[in-house]
Amino acid sequence: MVQQVTPETTIEVIYPESDGQPMADNTEQFAWIVKIKENLEILFPSPADVFIAGDLFWYPVQGNPNIKQAPDTMVVFGRPKGKRSSYLQWNEDNIPPQVVFEILSPGNTLKEMAKKLQFYQRYGVEEYYIYDPAKNDLNGLLHSEDSFEVIEEMNGWVSPRLGIRFTLTPDTLEIVSPTGQKFLSPGEIDQLREQERQRAERERQAKEVALQELEAASQEKEAALQELEKERDRYQELLAKLQKKGIDTDNL
C-alpha cells in the first residue's frame, strides 16, 4: 500500500493592527502626541527616508505577534515614508525605531512603563523620551552598549538623532527644531500659515499699488512729452508762416 504524503500546512501568523484601546486617555495627552508627531513630519519632509508614526504597533520579531509595542510616537531613520498598518521590522531592512516618545497619562502604571522600558532597551531604541504633561516632567534615556543611561539634565538637551532641543519652562515643555522653530499645535500652525498668507497678501497688494503708481507716473510723463511735442510743432508752424511773410525769424 502506498502511503500518500500531504504537504505540511503553513499557519499564517496574524499581526493585529489594533488592540482596541484608545490612542490617548485624555485630550492633553492626545494633543502632545499629535504635536510631536506632526512637527517631526514637518522637520523631516518627503522625500527624506525618515518614517514617523504615532500609536502604530511595532513588531520586532517575525513569527511572534505577542512581542509588540505601540509607541506614542516613533521615528525610524533609513526607512521611506508611506502607509503601514503596522511596523513589521523584518520587512523594513530589520531597522528598529531609533527614537521613541511616550506621553504619560494618569492611566499609565509603573509596571506598564517598566515593560516598555525593557522592550525599547532590548529591541534597539537609541533615544527614549517620556513626558508627563500633568507634572510638566521630562525624562530621557540614551542607549549605551546594552542598556539605557538616564540623561541627567533634560533642560536644554539636544537630541543626537533629531537635532531638536528640549526646554522646560515653569509651565510647559518647549521643543525647538534645529532652525529655531518651536513645535506648535495644529491650530497654532494653521494660525501661523494664515498670518503668513495675510502678510503675503499685503505685500502683493503693496506691489500692485506701487505698479499702479509707477504706471500712472509713466502715463503722466508720456502725456507731458506729447504736449511738449505739440508745442514744438506749433512753434515750427509759426516760424514757417513768419518766414513766408518775409520776416527774418533769426533776429526775432
Side-chain angles (χ1 to χ4, degrees), residues 10-168:
T10 301
I11 300 175
E12 182 182 2
V13 180
I14 304 298
Y15 301 92
E17 300 174 9
S18 172
D19 58 4
Q21 298 299 314
M23 179 178 178
D25 292 339
N26 56 60
T27 56
E28 188 172 22
Q29 184 189 26
F30 179 78
W32 272 103
I33 294 171
V34 172
K35 177 187 283 191
I36 292 172
K37 193 265 183 187
E38 293 306 315
N39 280 269
L40 288 174
E41 293 281 13
I42 294 171
L43 183 59
F44 298 102
S46 297
D49 279 347
V50 183
F51 174 66
I52 302 164
D55 196 42
L56 184 73
F57 269 142
W58 162 27
Y59 293 94
V61 180
Q62 186 174 11
N64 194 335
N66 294 319
I67 302 176
K68 65 182 183 299
Q69 279 295 340
D72 286 337
T73 303
M74 67 180 186
V75 184
V76 192
F77 288 85
R79 297 307 303 153
K81 298 182 182 299
K83 296 180 180 179
R84 291 166 174 80
S85 57
S86 57
Y87 190 81
L88 306 177
Q89 188 172 312
W90 54 93
N91 290 337
E92 306 282 356
D93 287 346
N94 207 35
I95 299 176
Q98 294 97 348
V99 185
V100 162
F101 292 84
E102 292 287 356
I103 308 300
L104 298 185
S105 73
N108 292 123
T109 64
L110 185 61
K111 181 179 180 181
E112 175 190 359
M113 298 312 297
K115 284 185 176 180
K116 287 185 177 183
L117 175 62
Q118 291 174 350
F119 182 96
Y120 297 147
Q121 180 174 274
R122 179 174 183 179
Y123 292 108
V125 171
E126 297 175 12
E127 301 176 40
Y128 178 26
Y129 299 107
I130 310 157
Y131 180 56
D132 185 345
K135 298 179 180 178
N136 191 29
D137 182 48
L138 176 67
N139 289 281
L141 299 105
L142 204 60
H143 196 272
S144 177
E145 296 181 354
D146 296 328
S147 63
F148 276 134
E149 288 187 1
V150 174
I151 301 169
E152 295 297 337
E153 181 54 67
M154 281 303 303
N155 193 17
W157 172 261
V158 176
S159 161
R161 273 284 189 175
L162 305 175
I164 59 177
R165 185 177 75 253
F166 301 92
T167 301
L168 282 165

